[in-house]
Amino acid sequence: MAAEGISVEGSYRRALTMSIAALCVETGFDVAQDNVLETLTEMIQSYITEVGNSTRAFYEHSGRTLPTGRDMMCALADLGFPNKQLLQYLKRPRRVNMGQIPKTAEPSSPPVLEIGKRKNFPNYVSDSYNYPILPDPHTYVRTTTGQKPEKDYAILRERVSVQKRDVERALTRFVAKTGNSHALLPDDKNSFPLIAARPSTNPYLAALIPSEHETVKLYENHSQDEQEESTEKESETPKSKNRKMKRHRAGNDVESSPSLGGAQTKQTPPIPVEPPSANKTPEVIHNPYLRPVKKPKLKKKR
Amino acid sequence: MNGVKTEKDMSSEEDEETQLSDSQFVDLLQQLENYTPTIPDGVAEYYLNRSGVNTTDTRIVRLISLAAQKFMSDILNDALQLNKMKGSAQNARSSKTKEKKLLLTMDDLVPVLADRGIKVKKPAYYT
């Protein structure tokens, strides 16, 4: 690939050298040194590149992607080139022509599908500007899609209720289709399917087992109790002592139950000093994941 | 104003002398359509593409090759004048009337380029 690129570059450069040589002949020289030709080739190459760069800067500055003749004129004027002499130079008598490089046939691109009619330039753009023609209208014509959001309360409310009803019906149908169902109308079984009730084996169980919310509440109450207890312990009031005694008794009654932790039953004098510090830390730590693990304690059923 | 030209006046006057008017420019572009410059279109287009100008308008490509050609031609003309002046001085001294081929050398080119602010230096140990 690299070698190929160099050869392409080299051939273009050789063509430039040839044109320089032709110019030398045109001017009146018969022979030229190799290094002269090479120097001039280098110069003409950088001149073309420089004018190209400058032109690009001009047309990009005016927001176009294709150059016009005026961009090039500006670039040339910027380089200090006397443009006026070009007209005379065009009509010079001795002209050596090198001929054109035969172009290899380019692979023909499929014709672009044109959509809509191309716009003409507005009146104030003169033809002499030679701007490139406008592109296909579909590249810049804009059609708004969607509607403005509805703001009327009554309509929105109606929509919400319709949507809610739709969702409910769809859900019901889904459950009815996937599970057992009864037909509301005996003639047409599919029109109003009703979800079949599923009788549970122990209907009373739900009433007995505390729900999740209740357990959490219980737990929270319990932890609050504990905190109060610990603060009270610091200022050993006779009331708290009494309560503690009661708890001790209660704990001893259900020693066998695992739900009641041994912490309360095995209370020894040095331990009560520690819980305050252990209880204070949760106040600092608000993140529930960092708190020490506590098992929910159920109240004893009586 | 009191016969004193401001800098702006000077520059616009200078522009008028060197730059094309609108009609002349349109004329030039029209002429370029039927003109084949010495630098082939393909070559100029290649170098333009390399500097980021993407154009298929042959008039613009020809305009740039014509400008480059003019630039070179001016340099070569100056070099030719220098060469001829040197040659005539030598001829006068040696008084040889032998027909000689005109040879373009670096010795002619370097002063011409230096005149335009382009410094050409021979690499130090170049053979």
Side-chain angles (χ1 to χ4, degrees), chain A residues 195-211:
Chain A
I195 303 166
R198 198 182 298 152
S200 59
T201 46
N202 309 331
Y204 53 87
L205 211 59
L208 291 179
I209 296 173
S211 71

Side-chain angles (χ1 to χ4, degrees), chain A residues 205-219 296 298:
Chain A
L205 211 59
L208 291 179
I209 296 173
S211 71
E212 200 180 333
H213 291 290
E214 279 175 56
T215 7
V216 172
K217 258 184 203 170
L218 280 176
Y219 168 65
L298 298 178

Side-chain angles (χ1 to χ4, degrees), chain A residues 240-280:
Chain A
S240 69
K241 265 187 183 174
N242 279 348
R243 206 194 282 167
K244 219 194 286 173
M245 288 300 281
K246 274 181 197 166
R247 288 241 173 117
H248 268 285
R249 242 176 275 144
N252 287 334
D253 286 348
V254 272
E255 248 186 343
S256 56
S257 76
S259 62
L260 281 172
Q264 279 191 344
T265 50
K266 288 179 199 168
Q267 271 185 354
T268 44
I271 292 172
V273 189
E274 282 173 6
S277 64
N279 274 335
K280 268 180 187 172

Side-chain angles (χ1 to χ4, degrees), chain A residues 30-279:
Chain A
D30 299 314
V31 196
Q33 282 181 341
D34 272 354
N35 51 357
V36 170
L37 279 184
E38 202 55 38
T39 311
L40 291 177
T41 309
E42 184 64 34
M43 274 175 59
I44 199 169
Q45 185 187 328
S46 35
Y47 190 82
I48 293 176
T49 312
E50 189 54 42
V51 175
N53 274 332
S54 191
T55 309
R56 187 168 50 95
F58 270 107
Y59 71 71
E60 280 184 354
H61 175 70
S62 39
R64 279 178 271 119
T65 54
L66 289 175
T68 63
R70 272 162 212 279
D71 291 324
M72 202 150 278
M73 277 300 166
C74 283
L76 287 175
D78 212 32
L79 287 177
F81 185 84
N83 291 334
K84 217 165 194 176
Q85 295 174 13
L86 274 182
L87 270 176
Q88 298 157 10
Y89 184 70
L90 208 62
K91 292 165 191 159
R92 66 194 187 279
R94 291 177 59 185
R95 230 173 70 191
V96 178
N97 219 329
M98 275 181 55
Q100 291 296 315
I101 297 177
K103 269 197 176 175
T104 50
E106 283 181 19
S108 61
S109 55
V112 185
L113 185 68
E114 261 196 41
I115 298 158
K117 275 193 174 180
R118 290 188 180 206
K119 263 191 186 174
N120 288 326
F121 288 113
N123 292 331
Y124 52 82
V125 179
S126 150
D127 286 342
S128 65
Y129 283 122
N130 290 312
Y131 281 150
I133 51 171
L134 289 172
D136 254 10
H138 78 269
T139 54
Y140 57 88
V141 164
R142 187 171 63 100
T143 37
T144 48
T145 58
Q147 300 155 337
K148 276 190 177 177
E150 192 66 59
K151 279 179 182 173
D152 190 29
Y153 175 73
I155 294 172
L156 282 183
R157 191 57 205 254
E158 199 187 316
R159 274 190 201 164
V160 167
S161 49
V162 165
Q163 196 184 14
K164 196 184 168 194
R165 220 176 118 223
D166 282 352
V167 168
E168 273 174 7
R169 201 162 55 187
L171 194 60
T172 321
R173 287 209 166 181
F174 175 70
V175 175
K177 270 194 180 176
T178 48
N180 292 330
S181 65
H182 300 304
L184 182 67
L185 306 173
D187 305 338
D188 192 359
K189 283 188 175 178
N190 289 329
S191 58
F192 288 101
L194 299 176
I195 303 166
R198 198 182 298 152
S200 59
T201 46
N202 309 331
Y204 53 87
L205 211 59
L208 291 179
I209 296 173
S211 71
E212 200 180 333
H213 291 290
E214 279 175 56
T215 7
V216 172
K217 258 184 203 170
L218 280 176
Y219 168 65
E220 280 173 357
N221 287 343
H222 187 79
S223 57
Q224 271 183 2
D225 275 3
E226 260 190 358
Q227 277 186 9
E228 280 170 21
E229 208 173 277
S230 59
T231 47
E232 280 163 10
K233 262 174 208 162
E234 284 170 1
S235 58
E236 287 274 327
T237 54
K239 254 191 182 177
S240 69
K241 265 187 183 174
N242 279 348
R243 206 194 282 167
K244 219 194 286 173
M245 288 300 281
K246 274 181 197 166
R247 288 241 173 117
H248 268 285
R249 242 176 275 144
N252 287 334
D253 286 348
V254 272
E255 248 186 343
S256 56
S257 76
S259 62
L260 281 172
Q264 279 191 344
T265 50
K266 288 179 199 168
Q267 271 185 354
T268 44
I271 292 172
V273 189
E274 282 173 6
S277 64
N279 274 335

